[in-house]
Amino acid sequence: MDALDRLAEPGLDLLGRVDTLLAAGAPEGHRLWPLLRRMQVLPGAAVREFLDLHPAPLTGAGHAVRRLVRGYDDTCAMLADPVAWSGPAAGAYDEARAALLRHLDEGPESLVGRLESTAGYADALADWVEGSRLTLARALADVLRSAEAVTVHAATRAGADAGRLGAHAAAEIAVRVLGVLGVAYDGAETLLRQWAPSLAETTWREQATGPYRHGGTTRIGH
């Protein structure tokens, strides 16, 4: 359990009240409006969804992918063993083996390279989730002890008589929470743009030539 989990219950209670007040309409011309148009969600609902994001599953996924690399290493070690035979078939086998080794583990576009990139991306996302949860927890801690929180509680208890003061306080809290989430989502999009080239599907990079190459594949023997 992290700081965000510990603040979830009081935070969601406050933000549920904020959502209730804002459902009747945010103050005209308030700086909240651009955030609402961009995020398309009220702060209580947004935080409730964000609470489901945890870094541990992503970290575990990175470890699982790295374990797959060991299997590829074992396969490459077997392919690298020299063969004790010669002739045209042996030459064709050497060409096919070299092409397969390149495809499996030579550079970032190989299968191993893509696995390592996938693991790195999972780690980067885990760091993003952890950092974003901490930042959101700090924002919730701030709004929970703010004067606006007191106003929102009083306004929702007053029901229909909440008035403009309650709506303004709710909008101020919403700006602080949605602003943090907006920055967090920007960070996630930046990560995707940065990692996308390294996560693209790899293609067969065969470079074998000679009489045993036919129709885009390497044929060993006839």
Side-chain angles (χ1 to χ4, degrees), residues 12 15 19 39-53 136 174 177-178 181-182 185:
L12 288 177
L15 294 178
D19 287 1
M39 304 292 285
Q40 296 292 304
V41 66
L42 292 172
V47 170
R48 192 173 294 106
E49 292 178 3
F50 200 86
L51 282 168
D52 292 332
L53 290 177
L136 181 57
V177 173
L178 289 180
L181 289 174
Y185 291 139

Side-chain angles (χ1 to χ4, degrees), residues 29 36 94:
L36 287 176
D94 280 340

Side-chain angles (χ1 to χ4, degrees), residues 31 68 103 201:
R31 58 195 177 121
L68 295 175
H103 184 62
E201 182 179 0

Side-chain angles (χ1 to χ4, degrees), residues 2-219:
D2 61 8
L4 185 58
D5 288 325
R6 290 190 289 271
L7 290 171
E9 184 175 353
L12 288 177
D13 177 73
L14 172 62
L15 294 178
R17 297 171 186 271
V18 168
D19 287 1
T20 297
L21 291 170
L22 293 179
E28 184 178 353
H30 196 278
R31 58 195 177 121
L32 173 62
W33 282 108
L35 277 171
L36 287 176
R37 284 191 288 269
R38 179 195 173 197
M39 304 292 285
Q40 296 292 304
V41 66
L42 292 172
V47 170
R48 192 173 294 106
E49 292 178 3
F50 200 86
L51 282 168
D52 292 332
L53 290 177
H54 293 275
L58 292 164
T59 300
H63 292 328
V65 170
R66 287 190 176 89
R67 285 194 294 270
L68 295 175
V69 173
R70 298 170 195 164
Y72 282 85
D73 289 341
D74 293 340
T75 300
C76 289
M78 289 188 293
L79 287 170
D81 289 338
V83 295
W85 45 290
S86 60
Y93 172 77
D94 280 340
E95 290 180 354
R97 180 178 63 171
L100 183 55
L101 281 170
R102 284 192 297 271
H103 184 62
L104 289 176
D105 190 10
E106 185 179 289
E109 295 182 4
S110 67
L111 294 181
V112 168
R114 288 297 191 249
L115 284 173
E116 290 173 344
S117 294
T118 300
Y121 181 52
D123 290 343
L125 283 176
D127 291 341
W128 167 78
V129 171
E130 184 175 7
S132 298
R133 286 178 64 90
L134 179 58
T135 303
L136 181 57
R138 288 171 175 164
L140 282 181
D142 288 342
V143 298
L144 280 168
R145 57 174 177 255
S146 67
E148 288 82 4
V150 176
T151 302
V152 164
H153 277 279
T156 51
R157 285 195 298 268
D161 298 328
R164 293 170 55 189
L165 186 60
H168 181 80
E172 289 296 312
I173 290 174
V175 164
R176 293 160 75 174
V177 173
L178 289 180
V180 166
L181 289 174
V183 171
Y185 291 139
D186 286 343
E189 291 178 357
T190 298
L191 281 178
L192 181 57
R193 286 195 299 270
Q194 290 174 341
W195 284 89
S198 301
L199 302 174
E201 182 179 0
T202 191
T203 57
W204 177 252
R205 298 180 297 153
E206 181 183 11
Q207 299 177 10
T209 59
Y212 291 89
R213 182 175 176 85
H214 176 73
T217 61
T218 297
R219 304 178 66 184

